[in-house]
């Protein structure tokens, strides 16, 4: 995967996003495994095993797990342990309602605030997605691109608070999508929608970027409901 899709976060077990501390690294690794369902809903989260895998102590892993509880990605039960949360399809409407308000805001801000370097990156990523679409990439790989594109847009919006909120809700939406992936005919069209969105942001077209972002979120919900 090219460097164009490595900022601000690279997804996957092989190359986890890098944080500023051991706790951050553990959090980012576990978060993205939970989002992509590499850790299945209901799977136990064993801090000792994770610490051994990462070559760190249990304390930073436990700190990471506490953060993941706040993200609603894991749940802890007294005397039973910690587990990956289930994927609740009934949350789709609530998550979508928030994203329909905030995703257009982030895209509009990104079109206005992105640096020249980020605009070049957005165009580069758009070109990569066009190539990926023609190559017939696997569903899981397309979803990894989807997450990275969203995070790049949030980063370009230049509002840390907005970025933090949107990452959290996009994570929940992605878990729902991954949970339904086997029932979906294809996610290629969904990911390909980013091409026009990224170019609109890079061109500084705030209204078009906001409109395309809203369409993307609405079409996501419609696609999921279409296979329920």
């Amino acid at each position: 995967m090219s460097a164009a899709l490595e900022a601000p976060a690279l997804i996957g077990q092989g190359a986890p996003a890098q944080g500023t501390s051991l706790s951050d690294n553990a959090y980012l690794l576990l978060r993205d495994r939970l989002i992509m369902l590499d850790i299945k809903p209901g799977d136990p989260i064993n801090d000792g095993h994770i610490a051994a895998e990462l070559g760190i102590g249990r304390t930073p892993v436990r700190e990471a797990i506490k953060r993941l509880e706040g993200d609603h990605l894991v749940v802890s039960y007294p005397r039973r342990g910690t587990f990956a949360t289930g994927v609740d399809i009934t949350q789709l409407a609530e998550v979508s309602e928030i994203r329909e308000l905030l995703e257009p805001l982030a895209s509009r801000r990104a079109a206005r605030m992105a640096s020249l370097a980020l605009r070049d990156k957005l165009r580069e990523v758009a070109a990569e997605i066009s190539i990926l679409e023609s190559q017939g990439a696997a569903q899981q790989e397309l979803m990894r691109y989807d997450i990275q594109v969203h995070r790049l847009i949030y980063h370009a919006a230049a509002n840390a608070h907005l970025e933090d909120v949107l990452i959290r809700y996009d994570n929940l939406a992605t878990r729902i999508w991954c949970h339904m992936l086997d029932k979906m005919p294809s996610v290629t069209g969904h990911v390909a929608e980013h091409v026009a969105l990224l170019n609109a942001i890079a061109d500084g077209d705030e209204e078009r970027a906001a409109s395309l972002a809203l369409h993307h979120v609405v079409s996501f919900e419609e696609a999921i409901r279409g296979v329920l």
Side-chain angles (χ1 to χ4, degrees):
M1 189 174 296
S2 76
L5 288 177
E6 293 179 2
L10 179 64
I11 309 298
Q13 293 180 333
Q18 293 298 304
T20 57
S21 68
L22 295 176
S23 177
D24 281 343
N25 287 338
Y27 168 76
L28 292 169
L29 175 71
L30 290 171
R31 182 193 67 182
D32 289 341
R33 287 185 180 180
L34 287 158
I35 294 166
M36 295 301 299
L37 304 189
D38 295 324
I39 299 175
K40 305 296 184 187
D43 279 356
I45 309 295
N46 187 301
D47 57 4
H49 290 168
I50 295 165
E53 177 188 349
L54 298 180
I56 61 178
R58 288 192 176 192
T59 297
V61 174
R62 288 171 179 165
E63 291 171 353
I65 289 171
K66 280 293 183 185
R67 291 175 64 185
L68 292 166
E69 285 189 75
D71 292 342
H72 305 291
L73 293 174
V74 304
V75 59
S76 295
Y77 300 101
R79 295 180 297 279
R80 286 184 55 197
T82 301
F83 303 85
T85 56
V87 177
D88 186 355
I89 302 297
T90 64
Q91 293 180 352
L92 177 62
E94 295 175 353
V95 170
S96 294
E97 183 178 30
I98 295 168
R99 294 181 71 224
E100 285 171 15
L101 293 173
L102 297 185
E103 291 277 356
L105 173 62
S107 292
R108 183 181 287 111
R109 278 189 58 89
R112 183 171 70 252
M113 303 293 294
S115 65
L116 289 176
L118 267 176
R119 292 179 197 277
D120 287 342
K121 185 180 289 293
L122 290 164
R123 290 191 179 94
E124 184 180 348
V125 173
E128 285 201 21
I129 292 173
S130 295
I131 295 171
L132 189 72
E133 182 185 8
S134 67
Q135 291 176 340
Q139 299 274 72
Q140 285 287 112
E141 185 64 14
L142 287 167
M143 289 309 302
R144 295 182 194 278
Y145 267 78
D146 184 79
I147 297 173
Q148 291 173 39
V149 168
H150 279 277
R151 292 181 186 175
L152 184 59
I153 293 171
Y154 306 156
H155 184 65
N159 182 322
H161 299 290
L162 179 62
E163 181 178 6
D164 181 64
V165 170
L166 274 170
I167 286 175
R168 178 172 298 189
Y169 284 100
D170 185 60
N171 290 344
L172 295 175
T174 301
R175 279 193 99 214
I176 293 172
W177 189 282
C178 288
H179 182 67
M180 303 298 293
L181 206 54
D182 290 343
K183 298 181 180 180
M184 305 295 294
S186 174
V187 298
T188 303
H190 176 75
V191 176
E193 289 177 359
H194 288 121
V195 174
L197 173 57
L198 291 168
N199 283 322
I201 294 172
D203 292 342
D205 191 337
E206 294 183 37
E207 294 310 313
R208 177 165 168 75
S211 176
L212 289 169
L214 177 59
H215 170 76
H216 184 69
V217 175
V218 171
S219 67
F220 160 78
E221 182 176 6
E222 289 175 347
I224 295 294
R225 294 197 182 282
V227 296
L228 289 177

